[in-house]
Amino acid sequence: MAAQRSSLMQSHQSWTDDLPLCQLCGVGSAPNCVYGPDGKGTQSHPNEDGHFCFSTDCCFLYGVFNGYDGSRVASFVSQRLTAELLLGQLSTGHTDADVHRILSQAFDVVEKSYFETIDDALAEKANLQTQLPEGVYPSAQTQKIAERLKALEQEVSGGATAIVALILNDKLYIANVGTNRALLCKTTSDGQNQVIQIGRAHTTDNDDELSRLAQLGLDPVRLRQTGLISGQSSTRRIGDYKVKFYHTDIDVLSAAKQKPIISEPEIHGGQSLEGVTGFLLLMSEGLIKALESAHGPEQVNQEIVAMVAAELAQQSSLEAAAQSVVERVKRLHHDAYVSGRQRAPHCGRHEDMTLLIRVINYTLADGSLTPTQGGRIYPVSVPYSNHQSTSKTSVMLSLVMPAQGTLTNGSNTASTLEGDTPTAGQSPTATLQSTNTHTQSSSSSSGDGSLFRQRGSQAAQPDETGRVPPYVDFTQFYRLWGSDHSEGQGLSGDLGPQ
């Protein structure tokens, strides 16, 4: 088996080219972008994300990988992880415990194999560093060594985070390393879209991760204050030799008794998909952060699901739906930057974005109810909390409403992890519930006073001048119009509706 894997990985043609792609999923992506003062964006580095989506006789395998400091690690992991999972390791006879063990072993083998590929470069780098005399005026020889060291550093640096989904025996398993995200949206019998976040990001905001690191002798308070560790927020990652081999040279990690930054996945499942209608989303950190930057972190899960449901209602293919959602997030991020308003300082740039949509017993709509044909899409205003909650309440929100129907904004309702199974032919684009399932409990919702309020609350009330707050802010328009027309008319540049 090991020889077979090695032979496949060394071939010039990727062995995964012969694996059947899953026809039940679509992937959208967009490269990183940095905005200039004029609002125009430029790509700052090559795309470092990766993904795969395969189907075999016994299972389905999906993954999204967020690389950093180069795409080498993400590319290696996407290739080798597939070899560690789809060459006979999995079978329908495996129990949940077997699947967890196989997934954990696969991640461990993949990282060890990656470091084997850079062993020679690391050895050469260490040898050249001993040849650089300190305090000596640079010579042609030392300049040559320095250039070689720089090239070697580019070759060996970098890492990746990963989110992997496995469907085996009609059960869903999620393996997460780092800061990507998995959402499961299940349509219940009463037309609600129940949103379940499976797992949490491995950062210093995660209490479980802080506890793990504290047991290794690190200061959790200092870790939380530091936030970024060697330039990244993730406390679990694949590759990144500096934090794996030289963590004692990193001040905030130097007291650790063992390797603090690990590649061990947090595995959830198996969760039964029997009778479930809905879709699974795998998202790279770049997509999550872009939407958080534009709108704040409270509603990201619900907004993404709302966008996906809306696109599935009008697109003819999953690929088009996934790409449309990514483009929409990209546009929202750009618009937030050029608006100059409250979120603009957070939106100067975004990283690579990847979204994978996998439908589950879900038929694409025929377009009879779409935003361009009379339907109306409403943004979701349920706050999402990263903190664990024992509350069993959630908020339902309308996603797509017919133009002639009654406007309904949702109401408070009880929520559990296992919702009712949907009936055949049920529309999956009606309402939405939010659930954070790290502990299989629903996240509580407090509302945010945004445009669409919970059912039973009062409509927007006039202020002391008798005006209702507008949906569109015309401040910039009036300012520019006033400056263009003030000369010769004696008008103030601060104009508005009179």
Side-chain angles (χ1 to χ4, degrees):
M1 180 70 70
Q4 183 183 10
R5 289 196 301 266
S6 177
S7 175
L8 288 169
M9 292 301 298
Q10 291 175 2
S11 64
H12 293 290
Q13 183 178 8
S14 171
W15 76 275
T16 58
D17 291 344
D18 295 327
L19 283 175
L21 297 176
C22 178
Q23 302 302 312
L24 299 174
C25 79
V27 180
S29 64
N32 58 90
C33 186
V34 178
Y35 303 124
D38 58 357
K40 293 183 179 180
T42 57
Q43 187 173 342
S44 62
H45 58 77
N47 196 329
E48 297 168 336
D49 278 4
H51 69 272
F52 59 57
C53 46
F54 299 115
S55 64
T56 68
D57 293 337
C58 74
C59 67
F60 301 89
L61 186 66
Y62 312 94
V64 167
F65 308 92
N66 175 37
Y68 59 89
D69 295 337
S71 60
R72 177 187 174 99
V73 180
S75 298
F76 182 91
V77 174
S78 64
Q79 287 278 322
R80 188 62 186 260
L81 193 60
T82 312
E84 294 298 328
L85 292 173
L86 296 182
L87 289 180
Q89 297 90 341
L90 294 165
S91 73
T92 56
H94 282 136
T95 64
D96 288 350
D98 293 332
V99 174
H100 282 225
R101 173 180 51 80
I102 292 169
L103 286 170
S104 293
Q105 290 177 349
F107 276 85
D108 182 57
V109 169
V110 166
E111 181 171 73
K112 289 178 179 177
S113 300
Y114 167 71
F115 282 132
E116 287 176 1
T117 68
I118 63 172
D119 271 350
D120 292 342
L122 287 174
E124 181 183 356
K125 183 172 180 289
N127 180 52
L128 289 175
Q129 286 175 327
T130 64
Q131 300 179 30
L132 280 179
E134 296 183 3
V136 178
Y137 188 80
S139 63
Q141 180 64 19
T142 58
Q143 182 67 23
K144 184 177 180 180
I145 293 176
E147 291 176 355
R148 178 56 182 162
L149 283 172
K150 182 178 180 181
L152 287 170
E153 179 62 24
Q154 292 178 343
E155 181 179 339
V156 301
S157 65
T161 59
I163 188 82
V164 171
L166 169 69
I167 298 178
L168 176 69
N169 293 329
D170 212 17
K171 289 183 177 181
L172 172 65
Y173 302 85
I174 297 293
N176 181 39
V177 176
T179 50
N180 304 307
R181 186 174 297 179
L183 298 179
L184 177 62
C185 181
K186 301 196 296 183
T187 306
T188 59
S189 58
D190 55 355
Q192 303 171 26
N193 282 339
Q194 185 186 45
V195 182
I196 306 169
Q197 177 174 331
I198 306 177
R200 296 177 60 201
H202 298 128
T203 69
T204 55
D205 289 329
N206 185 326
D207 291 339
D208 291 340
E209 282 298 283
L210 281 182
S211 177
R212 178 182 69 82
L213 294 170
Q215 292 177 3
L216 300 179
L218 300 181
D219 182 356
V221 175
R222 189 179 177 197
L223 283 168
R224 193 183 291 275
Q225 292 173 342
T226 301
L228 297 181
I229 299 174
S230 190
Q232 300 297 318
S233 62
S234 56
T235 54
R236 301 194 189 198
R237 57 188 84 163
I238 304 170
D240 202 338
Y241 81 94
K242 290 182 180 178
V243 297
K244 300 296 177 65
F245 300 148
Y246 304 105
H247 69 270
T248 55
D249 296 335
I250 301 172
D251 188 35
V252 72
L253 302 178
S254 59
K257 294 177 289 187
Q258 299 177 19
K259 289 182 180 180
I261 308 300
I262 59 176
S263 62
E264 179 183 351
E266 183 177 358
I267 302 174
H268 299 265
Q271 178 169 324
S272 175
L273 298 179
E274 184 177 357
V276 171
T277 295
F279 49 83
L280 172 71
L281 306 180
L282 300 183
M283 304 179 289
S284 68
E285 181 186 12
L287 182 72
I288 302 165
K289 293 297 184 183
L291 193 53
E292 285 184 346
S293 297
H295 286 177
E298 296 83 5
Q299 304 177 28
V300 168
N301 289 353
Q302 290 71 30
E303 288 195 80
I304 285 290
V305 168
M307 294 180 198
V308 170
E311 293 299 335
L312 290 177
Q314 60 177 325
Q315 298 293 344
S316 59
S317 73
L318 292 168
E319 202 79 16
Q323 189 61 43
S324 294
V325 172
V326 172
E327 293 297 331
R328 188 170 175 181
V329 172
K330 182 178 179 180
R331 185 167 60 252
L332 288 171
H333 185 270
H334 174 266
D335 291 350
Y337 174 75
V338 299
S339 72
R341 303 180 70 179
Q342 182 181 2
R343 302 301 304 179
H346 305 280
C347 298
R349 62 180 299 146
H350 68 73
E351 279 300 326
D352 305 317
M353 299 187 288
T354 301
L355 171 66
L356 185 150
I357 303 174
R358 204 286 194 179
V359 292
I360 305 167
N361 302 319
Y362 190 111
T363 303
L364 288 181
D366 60 4
S368 59
L369 177 62
T370 69
T372 58
Q373 295 175 323
R376 299 179 65 188
I377 297 179
Y378 297 100
V380 181
S381 56
V382 179
Y384 165 71
S385 172
N386 276 325
H387 302 290
Q388 298 179 20
S389 168
T390 57
S391 169
K392 291 294 182 180
T393 60
S394 63
V395 170
M396 297 182 302
L397 294 155
S398 299
L399 299 184
V400 180
M401 298 295 294
Q404 291 142 356
T406 303
L407 176 59
T408 303
N409 289 320
S411 61
N412 289 326
T413 184
S415 171
T416 59
L417 174 61
E418 295 298 333
D420 296 332
T421 56
T423 58
Q426 179 129 35
S427 170
T429 57
T431 55
L432 177 146
Q433 285 183 302
S434 169
T435 307
N436 175 11
T437 64
H438 179 65
T439 56
Q440 297 195 353
S441 62
S442 302
S443 61
S444 62
S445 173
S446 59
D448 66 346
S450 62
L451 179 61
F452 303 102
R453 297 169 172 80
Q454 299 174 18
R455 183 189 301 163
S457 63
Q458 296 298 317
Q461 296 298 315
D463 58 19
E464 63 275 6
T465 67
R467 297 171 180 166
V468 175
Y471 178 77
V472 179
D473 185 0
F474 288 93
T475 303
Q476 183 69 6
F477 167 80
Y478 289 124
R479 183 179 298 114
L480 294 174
W481 189 93
S483 63
D484 290 342
H485 294 78
S486 58
E487 290 187 8
Q489 298 184 24
L491 299 177
S492 169
D494 185 17
L495 295 179
Q498 303 298 317

